[in-house]
Every structure is written in structure tokens, then in C-alpha cells.
Amino acid sequence: MKLSLPLQGYFDLLKHQPGEKKFVCINCGRPVAGLYRQISSTVLKIIDCEKCKKPADKYIEFEVLIILIDLILLSKPANRHILYNSDCKNLWKIGVILILLEAYCFWTDAFGGITSISYRSHVNDPFLSERGFYLSTVHFVAGFVLLYGFIYLFTRALHRTVPQVAGNGKTYPHMLLHGVILASIVKFLFIPIIIWKENATETGMAIHIVLVLMYFVISLVQIHSVVSDCARSRSCLIVMLAFIVKAYFLTRVSVFLQEFI
């Protein structure tokens, strides 16, 4: 019985020519020629990885809901399944939604407890008020580009063995971009701030935001470790450096954008 979930079509298996090693074992990360063998029209057998001798991708038998639960639990195999063995062609849409969500929270001063930056106009003018939302959107687009760019640069500088082409045939910059968007999915947890903003204290909202951002950083470290094939300690160093440098440059960008209020 299939679940008709909204994300059911977002993470379908990739389709490759027979014999091409463009799938990846979710346990060890090594390329495999296929994930299953079709015994009959109704029976499939999962292929074992030649290196680790474990099922190459157990998630092909799981519903999307189970995969999402494992993603929330920061499972490396679940991340590999989505990034390497699934067709993530619609992942960019999730990225756009998340940027708009953050921009809306920022525009409505929901993040006021952790930052003094604001693009809201105090003039009672609908046009100026709406312009603040567009400036907030530009702010978070710039933040995403800076974070992705600095993670890429620091990875190249501190981890010289980055694969040029991933096990599924995609380039490293492409996989890293998908990884950053996948880690950002945790930002959907900002939605309760919008719903219960009027009934929450500023301290409570600030704690909520900090916890979500900490979860985002941990998720990004885990996914960077998967995509870059490096130790978590090095991934943690790279991600933290990227966040610090991004915060510095984003502050400069916000000063420039505030001139348009």
C-alpha cells in the first residue's frame, strides 16, 4: 500500500543505463552498479554492496515518511539515499520556499530576539512595508549564496581529497548545493514562530530560533561529511568557519540594503 504523501514524487530513484556505476551504497558511500535485482514482475531483491557486504540501499523498500524520520534523526544512510540515489530535481523548489519563509519571519520581526537588523519601515505606507519583505528576501538569498560559497572554498582549502565527480556522476559543487538545501529543510521548524508569535515571549522565541539554527548547523555538518567524504571534525571546522565569515559579509550586505528602506 502506497502513501500519498506530498513529497512522494520528490525523491524517486534515479534512472541509469544498466551497468553504469552511478548509484551509491548508503552504508559505505562506494559506487554500485545497481540497487536491486528484479526476480519477477512482483519481486525485487536488494543487491548487496561488494565492499561492505550490506544491502546497497534499504530505503528503496521504505515509504517516504520513514525516510523523512531518519533524515530528522540525522542518519547518514538516509542522506546518501536522498542525495545520491534519488532524483532531487525538485529540491530547488524547497530551497525557494525556505528562503521565502525566512524572509517573512525576518520581515515580521519574528527574529527580533536574536538580531537588531530590520527592514520594516516605520512609515505607514503599504508600498514601503512591502518593500521590506523584498529586501528581507534579498538578504536571505545573499546569506544562502555566501554560506554555500564559503563552505565550498573552505572545503577546497582544508580538504584536498574532495571528489571531482560523485559516485552518481554528478559534480561536487552540484552535490554540495543539494546538501545545503537538504540541511535547510529543518528551517520549516520556524513555522510555529509565525503561528504562535502573539502568544510567545521574546525570550521563548529567541530560544526556539537558536535551537533550530543549532539543529541546522549539526545537520549541515553531517551532510557535508557525507558529500565531501571527510571526518565530522573537519566538516565541523569548515562549516563553522563558513558561518563566521558569512555573518561578517552578511552584516555588510544588510547595511547596504537598509539604505533602501
Side-chain angles (χ1 to χ4, degrees):
M1 179 179 175
K2 287 282 185 180
L3 291 177
S4 57
L5 294 172
L7 294 177
Q8 188 73 46
Y10 275 67
F11 305 129
D12 292 333
L13 283 179
L14 286 168
K15 294 179 176 59
H16 296 305
Q17 296 297 324
E20 287 185 307
K21 285 199 172 185
K22 291 191 176 180
F23 291 106
V24 167
C25 172
I26 63 172
N27 303 294
C28 64
R30 295 300 176 262
V32 293
L35 300 178
Y36 62 88
R37 183 183 301 109
Q38 188 161 358
I39 298 176
S40 67
S41 59
T42 57
V43 179
L44 300 177
K45 177 178 173 55
I46 299 178
I47 297 175
D48 290 339
C49 173
E50 295 178 358
K51 179 178 176 57
C52 65
K53 309 304 180 183
K54 295 180 180 179
D57 192 343
K58 64 181 180 180
Y59 289 110
I60 62 177
E61 294 184 321
F62 291 6
E63 297 288 355
V64 174
L65 183 60
I66 304 299
I67 300 173
L68 291 178
I69 291 173
D70 279 357
L71 284 176
I72 293 172
L73 296 175
L74 304 178
S75 164
K76 270 192 172 185
N79 285 320
R80 286 195 181 103
H81 171 78
I82 296 299
L83 291 171
Y84 292 106
N85 297 339
S86 300
D87 190 356
C88 298
K89 61 183 179 181
N90 293 317
L91 199 58
W92 67 271
K93 296 180 182 179
I94 298 177
V96 171
I97 293 172
L98 289 168
I99 287 177
L100 294 176
L101 173 62
E102 284 190 283
Y104 181 81
C105 291
F106 198 78
W107 177 53
T108 56
D109 290 334
F111 293 165
I114 63 169
T115 180
S116 59
I117 302 172
S118 177
Y119 297 120
R120 287 185 69 88
S121 174
H122 297 291
V123 180
N124 189 18
D125 186 327
F127 173 74
L128 293 177
S129 178
E130 184 178 334
R131 186 166 63 180
F133 172 74
Y134 299 135
L135 292 174
S136 298
T137 303
V138 173
H139 176 99
F140 282 99
V141 169
F144 178 86
V145 172
L146 287 171
L147 179 62
Y148 168 76
F150 285 123
I151 289 178
Y152 178 79
L153 292 176
F154 284 129
T155 302
R156 287 296 186 190
L158 301 177
H159 186 57
R160 302 297 178 85
T161 58
V162 173
Q164 295 293 331
V165 179
N168 60 356
K170 295 181 181 178
T171 61
Y172 175 74
H174 189 186
M175 296 306 303
L176 182 62
L177 177 62
H178 279 180
V180 175
I181 295 175
L182 187 62
S184 300
I185 289 179
V186 303
K187 294 182 180 179
F188 277 118
L189 295 175
F190 285 140
I191 292 177
I193 295 177
I194 300 173
I195 298 174
W196 292 299
K197 177 183 176 183
E198 301 301 327
N199 299 320
T201 63
E202 188 170 309
T203 303
M205 290 174 58
I207 293 174
H208 182 108
I209 294 168
V210 170
L211 289 175
V212 173
L213 292 178
M214 288 175 60
Y215 186 26
F216 169 60
V217 172
I218 295 172
S219 177
L220 190 54
V221 169
Q222 184 81 325
I223 289 178
H224 180 272
S225 176
V226 168
V227 174
S228 303
D229 194 20
C230 65
R232 287 192 186 95
S233 57
R234 182 170 296 182
S235 291
C236 184
L237 174 62
I238 290 171
V239 170
M240 294 309 298
L241 285 174
F243 264 97
I244 292 171
V245 180
K246 167 218 166 184
Y248 172 80
F249 281 97
L250 194 57
T251 302
R252 304 299 180 190
V253 172
S254 66
V255 172
F256 172 74
L257 292 177
Q258 284 178 329
E259 296 179 1
F260 294 92
I261 299 177

